């Protein structure tokens, strides 16, 4: 049986239903337990124990509806998506789609058969190909379903291979896409595009590249989020539990600014040919920006960068070792140039960040998500001055050059247990 | 009137019966899965003590998840299944 705090009741109900266990016994207790005193916790437990014992040791009545199987017999989703008639014009169809809770609140392009057919022609995959199941509500992800959501997001058909690669990335096990929907931690996916496809499609890595207002960036990012919403149940009236979240829950996609990078691009550093195109997707807690307008020595820029990453409120310091979390560091072209002129290649930049983006145990203890033995095998916690790195090793730093003119860079800590994932974009 | 392609999940899960309950907790072995959120251990400490003292539970088996955001590994679930007659786990903060 399951003990659930009140605030998560809706999510627990939806999850029990999708597992085929709507009658699974659940005991609801007050929310939250995390901030209560030991004596308050004891009171909550004492008040709940009789209900928990009852849930373990006997159902009050047999289930209604005759014999109910005990082993899962999932009826497979149809190979092709259902067709549905909607009344009205563009505005009417939008109202109907909103009423069906299939939009993110912004207007969508109604996914008519003709538009979905056109989207499907943007890639070579068959419409009924199954990419996986989208956690937490486990909807079957077919290429056709992804196409319908890409149409709604406003994608052009030529964007479709990038959308498909992004969806494949979040379906990788170590991405933990289901938990990104259910967490209070505000995890939203950031899509980084590398390779020649970015230029061909107009996916921007230049001026204002994180901020939308650029068709390819906005619609590709939005397509991934609509897939997570409509097939995985990631919506605030469903499984979504972010305390605040950030606008990446609508869309966040950008390219590396390879033309203005002094180094080889991210995908080449990771062993892909320069002619390949890739997406790297990471669920992050937000975009943490830093400005360095006075230092121009390269070392000076790096010093400001790592100082901004010594951030007591980021639980990445407490969680990075659980699933080898990455941190994205996005340097603007001017900062990157100065750092390169000071003699740093990509490997040296990552090594510098790993060496200096550290905080002492005494500062991190009893903050954020600290738990005793938090860094077992990594840092000697008995030494209050032992330094805890932001990630376990330099190769967990995803270094990209992004943005236009100006002296503003940023870093993005991966959320909770998301290792991030890379996929090659099929041509 | 326009015809659209349904963009949402169409999977239908068949309703299943929950695992059979045990007749009584007296002498039973109970597994407690700690989701690792702050204070979950305290809650379960009290629950364990009361299940033993007031309900005659014979043995408590504890497991603490590495993170609330990752599932309990299947091999751990199988081990708990072998080692216990009933199990309690927690959701949320």
């Amino acid at each position: 049986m399951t003990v659930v705090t009140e605030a998560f009741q809706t999510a627990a109900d939806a999850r029990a239903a999708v597992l085929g266990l709507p009658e699974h016994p659940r005991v609801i207790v007050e929310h939250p337990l995390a901030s209560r005193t030991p004596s308050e916790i004891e009171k909550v437990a004492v008040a709940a124990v009789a209900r928990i014992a009852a849930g373990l040791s006997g159902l009050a009545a047999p289930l209604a509806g005759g014999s109910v199987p005990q082993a899962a017999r999932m009826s497979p989703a149809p190979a092709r998506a259902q067709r549905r008639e909607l009344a009205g014009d563009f505005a009417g169809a939008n109202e109907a789609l909103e009423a069906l809770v299939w939009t993110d609140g912004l207007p969508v392009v109604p996914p008519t058969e003709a538009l979905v057919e056109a989207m499907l022609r943007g890639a070579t995959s068959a419409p009924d190909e199954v990419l996986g199941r989208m956690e937490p509500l486990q909807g079957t992800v077919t290429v056709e379903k992804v196409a319908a959501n890409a149409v709604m997001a406003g994608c052009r058909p030529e964007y479709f291979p990038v959308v498909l690669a992004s969806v494949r990335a979040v379906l990788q096990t170590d991405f933990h896409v289901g938990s990104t929907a259910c967490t209070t931690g505000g995890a939203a996916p950031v899509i980084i595009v590398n390779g020649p496809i970015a230029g061909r499609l107009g996916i921007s890595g230049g001026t204002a590249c994180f901020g939308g207002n650029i068709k390819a960036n906005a619609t590709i990012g939005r397509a991934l989020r609509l897939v997570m919403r409509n097939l995985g149940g990631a919506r605030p009236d469903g499984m979504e539990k972010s305390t605040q979240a950030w606008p990446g829950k609508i869309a966040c996609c950008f390219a590396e600014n390879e033309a203005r990078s002094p180094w080889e691009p991210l995908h080449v550093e990771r062993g892909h040919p320069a002619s390949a195109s890739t997406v790297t997707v990471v669920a992050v807690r937000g975009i943490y920006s830093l400005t360095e307008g006075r230092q121009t020595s390269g070392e000076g820029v790096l010093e400001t960068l790592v100082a901004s990453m010594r951030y007591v409120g980021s639980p990445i310091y407490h969680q990075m070792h659980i699933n080898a979390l990455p941190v994205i560091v996005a340097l603007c072209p001017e900062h990157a140039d100065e750092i390169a002129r000071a003699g740093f290649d990509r490997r040296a930049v990552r090594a510098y960040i790993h060496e200096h983006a550290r905080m002492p145990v005494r500062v991190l203890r009893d903050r954020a998500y600290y738990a005793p033995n938090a860094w077992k095998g990594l840092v000697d916690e008995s030494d209050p001055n032992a330094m805890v790195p932001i990630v376990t090793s330099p190769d967990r730093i995803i270094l990209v050059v992004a943005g236009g003119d100006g002296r503003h860079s940023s870093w993005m800590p991966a959320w909770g247990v998301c290792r991030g994932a890379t996929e090659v974009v099929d041509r | 009137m326009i015809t659209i392609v349904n963009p949402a999940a169409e999977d239908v899960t068949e309703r299943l019966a929950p695992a059979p309950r045990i007749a009584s907790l007296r002498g039973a072995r109970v597994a407690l899965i700690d989701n690792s959120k702050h204070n979950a251990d305290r809650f379960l400490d009290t629950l364990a003590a009361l299940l033993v003292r007031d309900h005659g539970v014979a043995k408590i088996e504890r497991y603490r998840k590495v993170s609330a955001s990752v599932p309990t590994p299947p091999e751990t679930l199988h081990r708990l299944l072998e080692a216990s007659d009933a199990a309690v786990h927690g959701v949320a903060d």
Side-chain angles (χ1 to χ4, degrees):
Chain A
M1 69 156 311
T2 304
V3 180
V4 188
T5 68
E6 222 168 352
F8 279 73
Q9 196 173 348
T10 317
D13 292 350
R15 179 75 182 171
V18 83
L19 294 174
L21 291 164
E23 286 94 353
H24 175 71
R26 302 188 276 289
V27 166
I28 311 300
V29 299
E30 295 160 56
H31 181 91
L33 292 187
S35 56
R36 289 176 197 250
T37 64
S39 67
E40 288 170 339
I41 297 292
E42 198 170 317
K43 270 189 207 143
V44 176
V46 168
V49 68
R51 287 179 294 149
I52 294 171
L56 289 172
S57 59
L59 282 181
L63 295 176
S67 82
V68 178
Q70 271 182 10
R73 286 204 312 247
M74 217 38 212
S75 1
R80 296 299 299 266
Q82 171 204 48
R83 268 52 180 169
R84 221 176 151 119
E85 303 277 308
L86 296 183
D89 53 8
F90 180 86
N94 258 280
E95 274 176 34
L97 288 162
E98 260 182 59
L100 289 160
V101 296
W102 289 347
T103 80
D104 53 12
L106 296 171
V108 294
V109 177
T112 61
E113 287 185 290
L115 290 174
V116 173
E117 284 304 314
M119 185 63 65
L120 287 165
R121 284 195 294 274
T124 53
S125 308
D128 59 357
E129 185 189 329
V130 175
L131 305 183
R133 300 184 70 189
M134 187 61 76
E135 296 284 352
L137 293 191
Q138 306 188 339
T140 300
V141 184
T142 62
V143 169
E144 185 183 39
K145 291 279 184 193
V146 179
N149 284 286
V151 169
M152 291 209 301
C155 289
R156 293 193 174 125
E158 57 267 35
Y159 303 170
F160 193 43
V162 182
V163 175
L164 281 175
S166 304
V167 171
R168 286 194 170 100
V170 306
L171 288 171
Q172 289 188 26
T173 311
D174 275 325
F175 192 92
H176 289 294
V177 67
S179 314
T180 68
C182 309
T183 178
T184 56
V190 165
I191 305 171
I192 303 169
V193 183
N194 274 103
I197 202 161
R200 277 211 304 279
L201 300 182
I203 304 168
S204 174
T207 300
C209 60
F210 302 162
N213 294 275
I214 300 159
K215 184 177 172 74
N217 297 35
T219 59
I220 291 169
R222 190 184 183 201
L224 173 61
R225 284 295 303 156
L226 285 173
V227 168
M228 289 167 67
R229 176 189 174 95
N230 286 329
L231 297 172
R235 13 179 268 245
D237 60 341
M239 299 303 289
E240 169 63 61
K241 293 303 295 178
S242 288
T243 306
Q244 296 185 322
W246 63 283
K249 292 276 189 186
I250 297 287
C252 190
C253 169
F254 62 92
E256 179 165 21
N257 194 340
E258 297 178 13
R260 289 193 62 184
S261 171
W263 303 300
E264 75 275 22
L266 174 69
H267 70 305
V268 174
E269 182 189 36
R270 296 187 156 196
H272 298 280
S275 58
S277 295
T278 61
V279 294
T280 299
V281 190
V282 186
V284 305
R285 291 179 182 272
I287 299 174
Y288 297 55
S289 113
L290 65 118
T291 299
E292 184 40 82
R294 297 294 294 270
Q295 297 287 326
T296 55
S297 66
E299 285 95 344
V301 173
L302 281 172
E303 283 163 13
T304 303
L305 168 70
V306 293
S308 81
M309 296 171 78
R310 295 184 201 117
Y311 189 94
V312 181
S314 176
I316 192 168
Y317 282 92
H318 302 93
Q319 297 181 318
M320 64 8 197
H321 56 296
I322 297 172
N323 195 25
L325 296 192
V327 60
I328 298 170
V329 174
L331 294 172
C332 69
E334 292 177 26
H335 285 163
D337 268 343
E338 289 154 14
I339 293 168
R341 274 206 303 275
F344 289 85
D345 61 10
R346 296 183 62 106
R347 177 181 286 270
V349 174
R350 289 190 287 101
Y352 181 95
I353 295 169
H354 185 252
E355 184 57 34
H356 292 93
R358 292 182 181 221
M359 287 198 292
V361 165
R362 68 186 141 75
V363 172
L364 294 169
R365 182 175 284 153
D366 293 326
R367 303 276 171 186
Y369 283 151
Y370 170 81
N373 300 313
W375 306 287
K376 208 173 169 181
L378 195 70
V379 174
D380 174 14
E381 201 182 319
S382 66
D383 174 2
N385 292 317
M387 297 298 276
V388 180
I390 190 165
V391 288
T392 51
S393 70
D395 67 12
R396 302 316 296 145
I397 295 166
I398 298 174
L399 179 65
V400 291
V401 175
D405 299 319
R407 306 192 53 78
H408 311 279
S409 293
S410 59
W411 62 282
M412 306 170 211
W415 163 82
V417 294
C418 181
R419 192 179 291 179
T422 296
E423 288 279 338
V424 174
V425 180
D426 288 335
R427 302 224 179 157
Chain B
M1 192 71 87
I2 57 171
T3 304
I4 62 141
V5 177
N6 182 340
E10 294 178 58
D11 305 71
V12 182
T13 312
E14 198 172 15
R15 193 177 66 144
L16 304 175
R21 305 292 102 176
I22 52 179
S24 162
L25 284 173
R26 207 147 291 282
R29 304 162 305 165
V30 175
L32 302 179
I33 301 177
D34 177 340
N35 75 350
S36 81
K37 287 280 186 176
H38 188 50
N39 280 336
D41 51 352
R42 284 187 198 282
F43 180 92
L44 293 176
D45 288 347
T46 306
L47 178 64
L50 294 177
L51 286 176
V52 170
R53 192 191 74 187
D54 299 342
H55 296 270
V57 166
K59 188 164 178 285
I60 298 282
E61 187 80 26
R62 296 279 288 260
Y63 170 73
R64 187 175 168 88
K65 290 168 71 171
V66 294
S67 159
S69 304
V70 299
T72 303
E75 56 276 16
T76 305
L77 283 177
H78 285 129
R79 181 175 63 74
L80 294 174
L81 193 66
E82 293 292 313
S84 56
D85 307 303
V88 180
H89 85 119
V91 170
D93 296 39

